Amino acid sequence: MTVATLKLPDQAKDEARLSLFWETAQLLKHVVAELPDIGQGPSLRVRPVFPLSAVTPGSTLVDLMNVSVSSELEITFQNLPEPLFERLALRFRPFYANDEEVNLLRVLNVVSQLNEHLHPWAKERRTSWTRAVFWGSMGMPEQTPPVQAEEVIKVGLYSRYFHLNLEQRQRALAYEKALGAGIFRIALVSSVWQRANIVIQVATEMEDHLVELGIVSEEAVAAAKMPCEQPDKISLKLVGGPGAIKAKELAPSPEAQP
C-alpha cells in the first residue's frame, strides 16, 4: 500500500473512522497473538488395511496405498476453548457487522473510493476476505452445497454469541445435523480466525501511512505494542464543594500493585 495523500469522501469523519479502525485492530491483534495457530491445518493419520500378499520387501508407501483393501483417515483440528473463542468473537465482530463504523469492507471502500491507485490493493483484500473459506484452508474437498465463511460466521455468531436470533439458531442446528456439530464448530472457529488475521494485515499495511498523514500518532503505535491490561481495582476520591462533587482517581497503593 503506497499513499502520498489520502482523499476521503468525508475527510474529517473518515480520518476518525480510520483511526478507530486501527485502534480496534490492535485490540484484536493482542487477542489473536494469545491463540493457538488455527491456520496450521489439521493433522492427518491414515490407517490402511493391506492384503497379506501386498507386504513384500521393497514396497513403498505409495505401493501399499495403491493395493490397500480399505483405509481409515483420522483428522485432528485445532479448536479453541469457549472462553478464548468468545474473546476472539467479541473483538472480531466490529469488523464483520454491517452497521459498525470499522466494518472492514466499509473501511476498504472509504480508503479506495477516491484513490484509484489503491483499487488493486483494496480488491486483493476484499478477495482474501471473501475467500476465507474453511474447506480450502484445511485442505479438504469442497462440499456440496459449499459452506461459505460468510454463512458460517453469520449463523454461528448470531445463534449463540450476539443478538440471539431464533432463525439463526434453527439454521445452526440444521448445519450441525448435516455436517456434524464438531465440523460446524471448526468451520466457525477457522473462518473467524482467518478473517481476524486479514483485519490485522490491513491495519498493519495502513499503519505507516496513517502515521505519516497524522491520523495515528507515533505514541499510539508505541503504546499499542504494550500488553493491554486493566487494573483489578480503581479507587476514587470524592471531593465535595459548593454546587458540585468531583471525583479524582487515586493512584494504586504500593501493596495493591503486582
PDB file of all heavy atoms in Angstrom, residues 110-143:
ATOM      1  N   VAL A 110     -13.923   3.182   1.822  1.00  0.00           N
ATOM      2  CA  VAL A 110     -13.591   4.575   2.158  1.00  0.00           C
ATOM      3  C   VAL A 110     -12.184   4.918   1.675  1.00  0.00           C
ATOM      4  O   VAL A 110     -11.947   5.985   1.100  1.00  0.00           O
ATOM      5  CB  VAL A 110     -13.717   4.797   3.689  1.00  0.00           C
ATOM      6  CG1 VAL A 110     -13.010   6.079   4.116  1.00  0.00           C
ATOM      7  CG2 VAL A 110     -15.184   4.840   4.092  1.00  0.00           C
ATOM      8  N   VAL A 111     -11.238   4.012   1.901  1.00  0.00           N
ATOM      9  CA  VAL A 111      -9.844   4.279   1.556  1.00  0.00           C
ATOM     10  C   VAL A 111      -9.636   4.323   0.039  1.00  0.00           C
ATOM     11  O   VAL A 111      -8.861   5.143  -0.474  1.00  0.00           O
ATOM     12  CB  VAL A 111      -8.929   3.213   2.184  1.00  0.00           C
ATOM     13  CG1 VAL A 111      -7.518   3.307   1.631  1.00  0.00           C
ATOM     14  CG2 VAL A 111      -8.906   3.370   3.702  1.00  0.00           C
ATOM     15  N   SER A 112     -10.320   3.465  -0.691  1.00  0.00           N
ATOM     16  CA  SER A 112     -10.046   3.331  -2.125  1.00  0.00           C
ATOM     17  C   SER A 112     -10.961   4.150  -3.024  1.00  0.00           C
ATOM     18  O   SER A 112     -10.642   4.370  -4.190  1.00  0.00           O
ATOM     19  CB  SER A 112     -10.149   1.850  -2.535  1.00  0.00           C
ATOM     20  OG  SER A 112     -11.479   1.368  -2.335  1.00  0.00           O
ATOM     21  N   GLN A 113     -12.081   4.629  -2.494  1.00  0.00           N
ATOM     22  CA  GLN A 113     -13.092   5.263  -3.334  1.00  0.00           C
ATOM     23  C   GLN A 113     -12.539   6.405  -4.187  1.00  0.00           C
ATOM     24  O   GLN A 113     -12.810   6.480  -5.390  1.00  0.00           O
ATOM     25  CB  GLN A 113     -14.247   5.775  -2.462  1.00  0.00           C
ATOM     26  CG  GLN A 113     -15.399   6.398  -3.257  1.00  0.00           C
ATOM     27  CD  GLN A 113     -16.563   6.782  -2.358  1.00  0.00           C
ATOM     28  OE1 GLN A 113     -16.749   6.223  -1.287  1.00  0.00           O
ATOM     29  NE2 GLN A 113     -17.358   7.740  -2.801  1.00  0.00           N
ATOM     30  N   LEU A 114     -11.768   7.286  -3.592  1.00  0.00           N
ATOM     31  CA  LEU A 114     -11.236   8.455  -4.309  1.00  0.00           C
ATOM     32  C   LEU A 114      -9.749   8.335  -4.591  1.00  0.00           C
ATOM     33  O   LEU A 114      -9.110   9.316  -4.996  1.00  0.00           O
ATOM     34  CB  LEU A 114     -11.504   9.731  -3.487  1.00  0.00           C
ATOM     35  CG  LEU A 114     -12.965  10.029  -3.156  1.00  0.00           C
ATOM     36  CD1 LEU A 114     -13.090  11.307  -2.338  1.00  0.00           C
ATOM     37  CD2 LEU A 114     -13.818  10.126  -4.420  1.00  0.00           C
ATOM     38  N   ASN A 115      -9.208   7.130  -4.391  1.00  0.00           N
ATOM     39  CA  ASN A 115      -7.774   6.906  -4.592  1.00  0.00           C
ATOM     40  C   ASN A 115      -7.597   5.732  -5.549  1.00  0.00           C
ATOM     41  O   ASN A 115      -7.471   4.580  -5.123  1.00  0.00           O
ATOM     42  CB  ASN A 115      -7.088   6.631  -3.254  1.00  0.00           C
ATOM     43  CG  ASN A 115      -7.269   7.782  -2.276  1.00  0.00           C
ATOM     44  OD1 ASN A 115      -6.598   8.801  -2.366  1.00  0.00           O
ATOM     45  ND2 ASN A 115      -8.202   7.633  -1.352  1.00  0.00           N
ATOM     46  N   GLU A 116      -7.578   6.040  -6.835  1.00  0.00           N
ATOM     47  CA  GLU A 116      -7.576   4.995  -7.855  1.00  0.00           C
ATOM     48  C   GLU A 116      -6.379   4.061  -7.731  1.00  0.00           C
ATOM     49  O   GLU A 116      -6.484   2.862  -8.007  1.00  0.00           O
ATOM     50  CB  GLU A 116      -7.605   5.636  -9.246  1.00  0.00           C
ATOM     51  CG  GLU A 116      -7.796   4.639 -10.379  1.00  0.00           C
ATOM     52  CD  GLU A 116      -7.995   5.313 -11.719  1.00  0.00           C
ATOM     53  OE1 GLU A 116      -8.179   6.544 -11.739  1.00  0.00           O
ATOM     54  OE2 GLU A 116      -7.959   4.604 -12.744  1.00  0.00           O
ATOM     55  N   HIS A 117      -5.232   4.595  -7.297  1.00  0.00           N
ATOM     56  CA  HIS A 117      -4.035   3.762  -7.182  1.00  0.00           C
ATOM     57  C   HIS A 117      -4.169   2.706  -6.092  1.00  0.00           C
ATOM     58  O   HIS A 117      -3.380   1.759  -6.045  1.00  0.00           O
ATOM     59  CB  HIS A 117      -2.804   4.627  -6.918  1.00  0.00           C
ATOM     60  CG  HIS A 117      -2.887   5.450  -5.670  1.00  0.00           C
ATOM     61  ND1 HIS A 117      -3.766   6.490  -5.512  1.00  0.00           N
ATOM     62  CD2 HIS A 117      -2.194   5.367  -4.508  1.00  0.00           C
ATOM     63  CE1 HIS A 117      -3.613   7.019  -4.318  1.00  0.00           C
ATOM     64  NE2 HIS A 117      -2.666   6.369  -3.680  1.00  0.00           N
ATOM     65  N   LEU A 118      -5.170   2.843  -5.214  1.00  0.00           N
ATOM     66  CA  LEU A 118      -5.388   1.853  -4.153  1.00  0.00           C
ATOM     67  C   LEU A 118      -6.429   0.801  -4.533  1.00  0.00           C
ATOM     68  O   LEU A 118      -6.672  -0.124  -3.759  1.00  0.00           O
ATOM     69  CB  LEU A 118      -5.822   2.559  -2.869  1.00  0.00           C
ATOM     70  CG  LEU A 118      -4.774   3.456  -2.213  1.00  0.00           C
ATOM     71  CD1 LEU A 118      -5.329   4.093  -0.952  1.00  0.00           C
ATOM     72  CD2 LEU A 118      -3.507   2.677  -1.905  1.00  0.00           C
ATOM     73  N   HIS A 119      -7.044   0.926  -5.708  1.00  0.00           N
ATOM     74  CA  HIS A 119      -8.065  -0.040  -6.120  1.00  0.00           C
ATOM     75  C   HIS A 119      -7.536  -1.475  -6.152  1.00  0.00           C
ATOM     76  O   HIS A 119      -8.202  -2.382  -5.626  1.00  0.00           O
ATOM     77  CB  HIS A 119      -8.643   0.343  -7.483  1.00  0.00           C
ATOM     78  CG  HIS A 119      -9.532   1.550  -7.444  1.00  0.00           C
ATOM     79  ND1 HIS A 119     -10.210   2.036  -8.546  1.00  0.00           N
ATOM     80  CD2 HIS A 119      -9.866   2.374  -6.410  1.00  0.00           C
ATOM     81  CE1 HIS A 119     -10.910   3.098  -8.210  1.00  0.00           C
ATOM     82  NE2 HIS A 119     -10.725   3.330  -6.921  1.00  0.00           N
ATOM     83  N   PRO A 120      -6.353  -1.740  -6.758  1.00  0.00           N
ATOM     84  CA  PRO A 120      -5.862  -3.137  -6.778  1.00  0.00           C
ATOM     85  C   PRO A 120      -5.629  -3.685  -5.372  1.00  0.00           C
ATOM     86  O   PRO A 120      -5.957  -4.844  -5.097  1.00  0.00           O
ATOM     87  CB  PRO A 120      -4.548  -3.033  -7.563  1.00  0.00           C
ATOM     88  CG  PRO A 120      -4.705  -1.796  -8.393  1.00  0.00           C
ATOM     89  CD  PRO A 120      -5.484  -0.843  -7.544  1.00  0.00           C
ATOM     90  N   TRP A 121      -5.044  -2.869  -4.489  1.00  0.00           N
ATOM     91  CA  TRP A 121      -4.792  -3.311  -3.112  1.00  0.00           C
ATOM     92  C   TRP A 121      -6.097  -3.639  -2.398  1.00  0.00           C
ATOM     93  O   TRP A 121      -6.232  -4.703  -1.770  1.00  0.00           O
ATOM     94  CB  TRP A 121      -4.040  -2.221  -2.356  1.00  0.00           C
ATOM     95  CG  TRP A 121      -3.924  -2.468  -0.883  1.00  0.00           C
ATOM     96  CD1 TRP A 121      -3.049  -3.302  -0.250  1.00  0.00           C
ATOM     97  CD2 TRP A 121      -4.736  -1.880   0.149  1.00  0.00           C
ATOM     98  NE1 TRP A 121      -3.252  -3.272   1.115  1.00  0.00           N
ATOM     99  CE2 TRP A 121      -4.290  -2.404   1.381  1.00  0.00           C
ATOM    100  CE3 TRP A 121      -5.787  -0.974   0.151  1.00  0.00           C
ATOM    101  CZ2 TRP A 121      -4.865  -2.054   2.602  1.00  0.00           C
ATOM    102  CZ3 TRP A 121      -6.363  -0.606   1.364  1.00  0.00           C
ATOM    103  CH2 TRP A 121      -5.896  -1.147   2.570  1.00  0.00           C
ATOM    104  N   ALA A 122      -7.082  -2.743  -2.503  1.00  0.00           N
ATOM    105  CA  ALA A 122      -8.370  -2.968  -1.837  1.00  0.00           C
ATOM    106  C   ALA A 122      -9.075  -4.195  -2.413  1.00  0.00           C
ATOM    107  O   ALA A 122      -9.686  -4.969  -1.673  1.00  0.00           O
ATOM    108  CB  ALA A 122      -9.252  -1.727  -1.972  1.00  0.00           C
ATOM    109  N   LYS A 123      -8.958  -4.390  -3.720  1.00  0.00           N
ATOM    110  CA  LYS A 123      -9.590  -5.545  -4.356  1.00  0.00           C
ATOM    111  C   LYS A 123      -8.981  -6.847  -3.847  1.00  0.00           C
ATOM    112  O   LYS A 123      -9.704  -7.826  -3.569  1.00  0.00           O
ATOM    113  CB  LYS A 123      -9.435  -5.456  -5.876  1.00  0.00           C
ATOM    114  CG  LYS A 123     -10.119  -6.600  -6.620  1.00  0.00           C
ATOM    115  CD  LYS A 123      -9.965  -6.439  -8.124  1.00  0.00           C
ATOM    116  CE  LYS A 123     -10.635  -7.598  -8.865  1.00  0.00           C
ATOM    117  NZ  LYS A 123     -10.479  -7.454 -10.340  1.00  0.00           N
ATOM    118  N   GLU A 124      -7.668  -6.871  -3.700  1.00  0.00           N
ATOM    119  CA  GLU A 124      -6.998  -8.069  -3.183  1.00  0.00           C
ATOM    120  C   GLU A 124      -7.461  -8.390  -1.760  1.00  0.00           C
ATOM    121  O   GLU A 124      -7.665  -9.559  -1.416  1.00  0.00           O
ATOM    122  CB  GLU A 124      -5.480  -7.871  -3.201  1.00  0.00           C
ATOM    123  CG  GLU A 124      -4.865  -7.909  -4.582  1.00  0.00           C
ATOM    124  CD  GLU A 124      -3.360  -7.699  -4.532  1.00  0.00           C
ATOM    125  OE1 GLU A 124      -2.816  -7.622  -3.407  1.00  0.00           O
ATOM    126  OE2 GLU A 124      -2.730  -7.618  -5.612  1.00  0.00           O
ATOM    127  N   ARG A 125      -7.598  -7.368  -0.929  1.00  0.00           N
ATOM    128  CA  ARG A 125      -8.014  -7.603   0.451  1.00  0.00           C
ATOM    129  C   ARG A 125      -9.472  -8.050   0.518  1.00  0.00           C
ATOM    130  O   ARG A 125      -9.835  -8.894   1.341  1.00  0.00           O
ATOM    131  CB  ARG A 125      -7.805  -6.341   1.292  1.00  0.00           C
ATOM    132  CG  ARG A 125      -6.350  -5.911   1.385  1.00  0.00           C
ATOM    133  CD  ARG A 125      -5.475  -7.004   1.996  1.00  0.00           C
ATOM    134  NE  ARG A 125      -4.066  -6.746   1.763  1.00  0.00           N
ATOM    135  CZ  ARG A 125      -3.368  -7.279   0.768  1.00  0.00           C
ATOM    136  NH1 ARG A 125      -3.942  -8.117  -0.084  1.00  0.00           N
ATOM    137  NH2 ARG A 125      -2.090  -6.989   0.619  1.00  0.00           N
ATOM    138  N   ARG A 126     -10.340  -7.507  -0.341  1.00  0.00           N
ATOM    139  CA  ARG A 126     -11.736  -7.959  -0.388  1.00  0.00           C
ATOM    140  C   ARG A 126     -11.802  -9.418  -0.822  1.00  0.00           C
ATOM    141  O   ARG A 126     -12.592 -10.199  -0.287  1.00  0.00           O
ATOM    142  CB  ARG A 126     -12.549  -7.103  -1.364  1.00  0.00           C
ATOM    143  CG  ARG A 126     -12.801  -5.676  -0.910  1.00  0.00           C
ATOM    144  CD  ARG A 126     -13.826  -5.002  -1.817  1.00  0.00           C
ATOM    145  NE  ARG A 126     -13.784  -3.564  -1.663  1.00  0.00           N
ATOM    146  CZ  ARG A 126     -13.146  -2.739  -2.487  1.00  0.00           C
ATOM    147  NH1 ARG A 126     -12.489  -3.232  -3.529  1.00  0.00           N
ATOM    148  NH2 ARG A 126     -13.162  -1.427  -2.270  1.00  0.00           N
ATOM    149  N   THR A 127     -10.969  -9.771  -1.803  1.00  0.00           N
ATOM    150  CA  THR A 127     -10.950 -11.152  -2.286  1.00  0.00           C
ATOM    151  C   THR A 127     -10.489 -12.103  -1.184  1.00  0.00           C
ATOM    152  O   THR A 127     -11.072 -13.182  -0.993  1.00  0.00           O
ATOM    153  CB  THR A 127     -10.018 -11.274  -3.509  1.00  0.00           C
ATOM    154  OG1 THR A 127     -10.497 -10.418  -4.553  1.00  0.00           O
ATOM    155  CG2 THR A 127      -9.987 -12.712  -4.017  1.00  0.00           C
ATOM    156  N   SER A 128      -9.460 -11.708  -0.442  1.00  0.00           N
ATOM    157  CA  SER A 128      -8.986 -12.541   0.670  1.00  0.00           C
ATOM    158  C   SER A 128     -10.092 -12.725   1.700  1.00  0.00           C
ATOM    159  O   SER A 128     -10.282 -13.828   2.230  1.00  0.00           O
ATOM    160  CB  SER A 128      -7.763 -11.884   1.329  1.00  0.00           C
ATOM    161  OG  SER A 128      -6.701 -11.786   0.428  1.00  0.00           O
ATOM    162  N   TRP A 129     -10.810 -11.655   1.995  1.00  0.00           N
ATOM    163  CA  TRP A 129     -11.911 -11.699   2.964  1.00  0.00           C
ATOM    164  C   TRP A 129     -12.995 -12.665   2.498  1.00  0.00           C
ATOM    165  O   TRP A 129     -13.477 -13.502   3.259  1.00  0.00           O
ATOM    166  CB  TRP A 129     -12.462 -10.286   3.132  1.00  0.00           C
ATOM    167  CG  TRP A 129     -13.601 -10.113   4.075  1.00  0.00           C
ATOM    168  CD1 TRP A 129     -14.936 -10.087   3.761  1.00  0.00           C
ATOM    169  CD2 TRP A 129     -13.536  -9.897   5.500  1.00  0.00           C
ATOM    170  NE1 TRP A 129     -15.693  -9.864   4.879  1.00  0.00           N
ATOM    171  CE2 TRP A 129     -14.854  -9.746   5.965  1.00  0.00           C
ATOM    172  CE3 TRP A 129     -12.477  -9.811   6.404  1.00  0.00           C
ATOM    173  CZ2 TRP A 129     -15.159  -9.522   7.301  1.00  0.00           C
ATOM    174  CZ3 TRP A 129     -12.775  -9.581   7.740  1.00  0.00           C
ATOM    175  CH2 TRP A 129     -14.092  -9.443   8.177  1.00  0.00           C
ATOM    176  N   THR A 130     -13.359 -12.572   1.222  1.00  0.00           N
ATOM    177  CA  THR A 130     -14.416 -13.423   0.676  1.00  0.00           C
ATOM    178  C   THR A 130     -13.990 -14.884   0.628  1.00  0.00           C
ATOM    179  O   THR A 130     -14.789 -15.787   0.863  1.00  0.00           O
ATOM    180  CB  THR A 130     -14.790 -12.955  -0.746  1.00  0.00           C
ATOM    181  OG1 THR A 130     -15.208 -11.585  -0.688  1.00  0.00           O
ATOM    182  CG2 THR A 130     -15.925 -13.803  -1.322  1.00  0.00           C
ATOM    183  N   ARG A 131     -12.717 -15.124   0.350  1.00  0.00           N
ATOM    184  CA  ARG A 131     -12.235 -16.496   0.177  1.00  0.00           C
ATOM    185  C   ARG A 131     -11.757 -17.139   1.472  1.00  0.00           C
ATOM    186  O   ARG A 131     -11.139 -18.210   1.433  1.00  0.00           O
ATOM    187  CB  ARG A 131     -11.097 -16.509  -0.844  1.00  0.00           C
ATOM    188  CG  ARG A 131     -11.563 -16.208  -2.258  1.00  0.00           C
ATOM    189  CD  ARG A 131     -10.415 -16.253  -3.236  1.00  0.00           C
ATOM    190  NE  ARG A 131     -10.867 -16.033  -4.604  1.00  0.00           N
ATOM    191  CZ  ARG A 131     -10.063 -15.915  -5.650  1.00  0.00           C
ATOM    192  NH1 ARG A 131      -8.749 -16.021  -5.483  1.00  0.00           N
ATOM    193  NH2 ARG A 131     -10.557 -15.707  -6.846  1.00  0.00           N
ATOM    194  N   ALA A 132     -12.015 -16.494   2.579  1.00  0.00           N
ATOM    195  CA  ALA A 132     -11.631 -17.089   3.868  1.00  0.00           C
ATOM    196  C   ALA A 132     -12.575 -18.247   4.158  1.00  0.00           C
ATOM    197  O   ALA A 132     -13.443 -18.177   5.026  1.00  0.00           O
ATOM    198  CB  ALA A 132     -11.697 -16.052   4.973  1.00  0.00           C
ATOM    199  N   VAL A 133     -12.424 -19.306   3.388  1.00  0.00           N
ATOM    200  CA  VAL A 133     -13.338 -20.445   3.443  1.00  0.00           C
ATOM    201  C   VAL A 133     -12.691 -21.599   4.198  1.00  0.00           C
ATOM    202  O   VAL A 133     -11.541 -21.937   3.951  1.00  0.00           O
ATOM    203  CB  VAL A 133     -13.740 -20.899   2.020  1.00  0.00           C
ATOM    204  CG1 VAL A 133     -14.699 -22.063   2.077  1.00  0.00           C
ATOM    205  CG2 VAL A 133     -14.372 -19.742   1.257  1.00  0.00           C
ATOM    206  N   PHE A 134     -13.426 -22.182   5.072  1.00  0.00           N
ATOM    207  CA  PHE A 134     -12.925 -23.252   5.929  1.00  0.00           C
ATOM    208  C   PHE A 134     -12.325 -24.406   5.137  1.00  0.00           C
ATOM    209  O   PHE A 134     -11.214 -24.850   5.398  1.00  0.00           O
ATOM    210  CB  PHE A 134     -14.070 -23.750   6.810  1.00  0.00           C
ATOM    211  CG  PHE A 134     -13.813 -25.085   7.455  1.00  0.00           C
ATOM    212  CD1 PHE A 134     -12.855 -25.216   8.440  1.00  0.00           C
ATOM    213  CD2 PHE A 134     -14.537 -26.203   7.084  1.00  0.00           C
ATOM    214  CE1 PHE A 134     -12.618 -26.433   9.049  1.00  0.00           C
ATOM    215  CE2 PHE A 134     -14.314 -27.421   7.692  1.00  0.00           C
ATOM    216  CZ  PHE A 134     -13.352 -27.541   8.675  1.00  0.00           C
ATOM    217  N   TRP A 135     -13.042 -24.905   4.143  1.00  0.00           N
ATOM    218  CA  TRP A 135     -12.592 -26.121   3.462  1.00  0.00           C
ATOM    219  C   TRP A 135     -11.259 -25.916   2.774  1.00  0.00           C
ATOM    220  O   TRP A 135     -10.380 -26.759   2.821  1.00  0.00           O
ATOM    221  CB  TRP A 135     -13.643 -26.573   2.445  1.00  0.00           C
ATOM    222  CG  TRP A 135     -14.975 -26.755   3.063  1.00  0.00           C
ATOM    223  CD1 TRP A 135     -16.085 -25.991   2.853  1.00  0.00           C
ATOM    224  CD2 TRP A 135     -15.348 -27.727   4.042  1.00  0.00           C
ATOM    225  NE1 TRP A 135     -17.121 -26.419   3.630  1.00  0.00           N
ATOM    226  CE2 TRP A 135     -16.699 -27.491   4.372  1.00  0.00           C
ATOM    227  CE3 TRP A 135     -14.670 -28.760   4.682  1.00  0.00           C
ATOM    228  CZ2 TRP A 135     -17.386 -28.247   5.294  1.00  0.00           C
ATOM    229  CZ3 TRP A 135     -15.358 -29.528   5.603  1.00  0.00           C
ATOM    230  CH2 TRP A 135     -16.694 -29.277   5.906  1.00  0.00           C
ATOM    231  N   GLY A 136     -11.089 -24.770   2.121  1.00  0.00           N
ATOM    232  CA  GLY A 136      -9.834 -24.513   1.434  1.00  0.00           C
ATOM    233  C   GLY A 136      -8.664 -24.404   2.389  1.00  0.00           C
ATOM    234  O   GLY A 136      -7.581 -24.936   2.144  1.00  0.00           O
ATOM    235  N   SER A 137      -8.868 -23.726   3.516  1.00  0.00           N
ATOM    236  CA  SER A 137      -7.770 -23.532   4.464  1.00  0.00           C
ATOM    237  C   SER A 137      -7.353 -24.843   5.112  1.00  0.00           C
ATOM    238  O   SER A 137      -6.215 -25.018   5.515  1.00  0.00           O
ATOM    239  CB  SER A 137      -8.187 -22.541   5.557  1.00  0.00           C
ATOM    240  OG  SER A 137      -9.150 -23.108   6.411  1.00  0.00           O
ATOM    241  N   MET A 138      -8.278 -25.758   5.228  1.00  0.00           N
ATOM    242  CA  MET A 138      -7.985 -27.027   5.872  1.00  0.00           C
ATOM    243  C   MET A 138      -7.564 -28.116   4.881  1.00  0.00           C
ATOM    244  O   MET A 138      -7.349 -29.254   5.245  1.00  0.00           O
ATOM    245  CB  MET A 138      -9.212 -27.513   6.659  1.00  0.00           C
ATOM    246  CG  MET A 138      -9.496 -26.654   7.875  1.00  0.00           C
ATOM    247  SD  MET A 138      -8.084 -26.636   8.998  1.00  0.00           S
ATOM    248  CE  MET A 138      -8.615 -25.425  10.190  1.00  0.00           C
ATOM    249  N   GLY A 139      -7.492 -27.763   3.585  1.00  0.00           N
ATOM    250  CA  GLY A 139      -7.065 -28.733   2.600  1.00  0.00           C
ATOM    251  C   GLY A 139      -8.052 -29.860   2.402  1.00  0.00           C
ATOM    252  O   GLY A 139      -7.687 -30.970   2.035  1.00  0.00           O
ATOM    253  N   MET A 140      -9.334 -29.562   2.626  1.00  0.00           N
ATOM    254  CA  MET A 140     -10.363 -30.585   2.476  1.00  0.00           C
ATOM    255  C   MET A 140     -11.135 -30.357   1.184  1.00  0.00           C
ATOM    256  O   MET A 140     -11.185 -29.240   0.663  1.00  0.00           O
ATOM    257  CB  MET A 140     -11.329 -30.550   3.667  1.00  0.00           C
ATOM    258  CG  MET A 140     -10.674 -30.901   4.984  1.00  0.00           C
ATOM    259  SD  MET A 140     -11.868 -30.839   6.336  1.00  0.00           S
ATOM    260  CE  MET A 140     -12.974 -32.166   5.874  1.00  0.00           C
ATOM    261  N   PRO A 141     -11.756 -31.382   0.624  1.00  0.00           N
ATOM    262  CA  PRO A 141     -12.534 -31.197  -0.605  1.00  0.00           C
ATOM    263  C   PRO A 141     -13.736 -30.299  -0.357  1.00  0.00           C
ATOM    264  O   PRO A 141     -14.279 -30.251   0.745  1.00  0.00           O
ATOM    265  CB  PRO A 141     -12.976 -32.631  -0.956  1.00  0.00           C
ATOM    266  CG  PRO A 141     -12.929 -33.369   0.347  1.00  0.00           C
ATOM    267  CD  PRO A 141     -11.790 -32.770   1.109  1.00  0.00           C
ATOM    268  N   GLU A 142     -14.161 -29.576  -1.393  1.00  0.00           N
ATOM    269  CA  GLU A 142     -15.316 -28.701  -1.265  1.00  0.00           C
ATOM    270  C   GLU A 142     -16.579 -29.522  -1.060  1.00  0.00           C
ATOM    271  O   GLU A 142     -16.718 -30.618  -1.590  1.00  0.00           O
ATOM    272  CB  GLU A 142     -15.453 -27.832  -2.522  1.00  0.00           C
ATOM    273  CG  GLU A 142     -14.332 -26.840  -2.683  1.00  0.00           C
ATOM    274  CD  GLU A 142     -14.855 -25.453  -2.990  1.00  0.00           C
ATOM    275  OE1 GLU A 142     -16.073 -25.268  -3.108  1.00  0.00           O
ATOM    276  OE2 GLU A 142     -14.022 -24.556  -3.110  1.00  0.00           O
ATOM    277  N   GLN A 143     -17.487 -28.938  -0.285  1.00  0.00           N
ATOM    278  CA  GLN A 143     -18.742 -29.609  -0.003  1.00  0.00           C
ATOM    279  C   GLN A 143     -19.815 -29.152  -0.986  1.00  0.00           C
ATOM    280  O   GLN A 143     -19.715 -28.102  -1.598  1.00  0.00           O
ATOM    281  CB  GLN A 143     -19.193 -29.286   1.426  1.00  0.00           C
ATOM    282  CG  GLN A 143     -18.173 -29.661   2.480  1.00  0.00           C
ATOM    283  CD  GLN A 143     -17.902 -31.150   2.517  1.00  0.00           C
ATOM    284  OE1 GLN A 143     -18.776 -31.935   2.841  1.00  0.00           O
ATOM    285  NE2 GLN A 143     -16.687 -31.548   2.190  1.00  0.00           N
TER     286      GLN A 143
END
